Amino acid sequence: MQLTILGSGTAIPQARHSPAGIAIRVAGERLLFDAGPGTLQRLHAHGISYRDVDRVFLTHYHVDHCLDLVSLLFAARIPQPARRAPLVIYGPRGLKQLYQRLNRAFHGWLEPQHYRLTLTELGETTLRVGGYTIRTRRMQHSTPALGYRLEVGGRSIAYSGDTDLCTRIVKLGEEADVLILECSMPESRKVSGHLTPTECGRIAAAANCRHLILTHFYPVFSGIDIRARVRRSFQGRVTLARDGLTLSL
């Protein structure tokens, strides 16, 4: 597997921290987890064509995690060069309604022309597709949200999307080779539905993951030692994500 953090920030503009997006290459497929604003452009910058994305997994439907779904569907409709390969989009409940409303708002310009589009709404489940396994758990957020765990060949990557501290994110990340957690605010600015560095450390320690990657940083972290706060609970490998971080497993 090869993992690339396309966006490690939020909707608030800041250097090297764009809105959420993760590209993973596995078993001959290109997967996209979340599609915040500008994701297609960052895919292109990393040599990945939007036409080569096989599956999209959305954690939830806040703007900083899904707005470039519109860009992806509009680009895929353009006939020169035409997308031919099928595209499957997964997400929590509300995905089909979201697509219908977006397509209506954009006067039908998101409808596929030359390829097959499949929209799949998920609860807590296990999918076996394309030679790998995807497991989902509901996260604790302000809107229906899912975390995803990708497993192949004895390796695993878990991704929280947006969540507060809960037992389900610990279970999702249990013994994971890589656990990617949102880390939105410092403890002094705790926001319900989001994690702080101390909480991320506690989750990683309880899950006994091998490598913790933190992402989704708000600018309020400027001048704060995130790593030191994580170390209060977790002594394993810790990476603070920036746009373009690439890791092979």
Side-chain angles (χ1 to χ4, degrees):
M1 287 188 286
Q2 185 178 69
L3 176 155
T4 301
I5 303 290
L6 299 170
S8 57
T10 67
I12 300 175
Q14 53 179 326
R16 295 179 289 182
H17 293 297
S18 303
I22 300 172
I24 298 179
R25 185 178 66 199
V26 58
E29 289 195 353
R30 295 278 190 180
L31 313 182
L32 179 62
F33 289 81
D34 281 339
T39 294
L40 255 65
Q41 186 65 33
R42 294 189 292 279
L43 277 171
H44 178 75
H46 286 277
I48 305 170
S49 170
Y50 65 90
R51 295 189 304 277
D52 294 333
V53 174
D54 297 288
R55 303 176 195 270
V56 179
F57 297 87
L58 299 176
T59 59
H60 64 291
Y61 308 128
H62 284 162
V63 170
D64 57 332
H65 289 257
C66 74
L67 187 60
D68 248 26
L69 178 62
V70 172
S71 301
L72 174 61
L73 294 174
F74 184 67
R77 178 187 171 91
I78 295 172
Q80 295 179 348
R83 180 190 176 98
R84 303 292 183 183
L87 175 64
V88 186
I89 301 172
Y90 304 85
R93 62 181 173 84
L95 176 62
K96 294 178 181 179
Q97 183 181 71
L98 175 68
Y99 169 76
Q100 290 166 359
R101 289 179 173 179
L102 287 172
N103 191 43
R104 189 180 309 122
F106 288 100
H107 309 290
W109 285 98
L110 305 186
E111 294 175 7
Q113 288 285 89
H114 306 285
Y115 70 97
R116 184 175 73 254
L117 174 65
T118 302
L119 304 172
T120 302
E121 297 184 356
L122 301 174
E124 294 194 341
T125 190
T126 298
L127 302 174
R128 292 180 175 84
V129 292
Y132 53 88
T133 299
I134 297 285
R135 304 185 190 278
T136 64
R137 290 288 184 274
R138 292 186 179 91
M139 297 292 99
Q140 186 173 322
H141 194 42
S142 57
T143 191
L146 292 175
Y148 293 94
R149 181 182 176 112
L150 168 63
E151 300 173 345
V152 63
R155 298 282 189 167
S156 56
I157 298 171
Y159 171 46
S160 67
D162 284 0
T163 189
D164 211 321
L165 182 63
C166 61
T167 57
R168 292 183 295 277
I169 184 54
V170 174
K171 185 66 176 177
L172 192 75
E174 192 171 31
E175 303 291 338
D177 291 284
V178 175
L179 173 58
I180 306 170
L181 293 180
E182 70 117 291
C183 185
S184 294
M185 295 284 180
E187 290 74 13
S188 62
R189 300 283 295 273
K190 167 71 178 177
V191 174
S192 178
H194 290 287
L195 295 173
T196 68
T198 298
E199 290 172 333
C200 289
R202 289 167 57 191
I203 292 168
N208 195 32
C209 68
R210 292 167 181 79
H211 183 185
L212 173 64
I213 298 178
L214 299 183
T215 187
H216 202 263
F217 303 115
Y218 274 85
V220 70
F221 273 120
S222 178
I224 293 176
D225 190 341
I226 297 173
R227 195 183 304 272
R229 298 181 182 207
V230 173
R231 289 288 183 218
R232 295 170 181 171
S233 302
F234 181 65
Q235 301 305 311
R237 183 180 177 189
V238 179
T239 298
L240 307 184
R242 292 182 182 272
D243 295 1
L245 172 69
T246 298
L247 177 70
S248 295
L249 281 78

